[in-house]
Amino acid sequence: MAEQPVNRFFNPRNVLGAPFAGAWDPPLREQDLDWIARAGFDMIACLCALAVTGTA
């Protein structure tokens, strides 16, 4: 697959993060992704964090 330049970048920031488990506000819905695409954005940041608890 050939690399494509990114022209418009969308970062939903805190939509995909929560201060504590279950505090997802506001949720990112499929229709939001459709709106973002129609608005001309060609890349969305999906930053993820992994929380690990316990011992090995």
Side-chain angles (χ1 to χ4, degrees):
M1 177 167 38
E3 291 185 22
Q4 299 291 321
V6 174
N7 296 312
R8 295 190 69 197
F9 178 79
F10 181 80
N11 183 356
R13 298 186 191 179
N14 293 337
V15 172
L16 299 177
F20 54 88
W24 303 100
D25 186 35
L28 185 63
R29 303 162 302 176
E30 187 172 350
Q31 59 262 34
D32 297 329
L33 299 176
D34 293 336
W35 178 87
I36 292 165
R38 285 193 312 272
F41 290 94
D42 52 9
M43 183 174 181
I44 298 175
C46 290
L47 305 174
C48 301
L50 176 63
V52 179
T53 61
T55 60

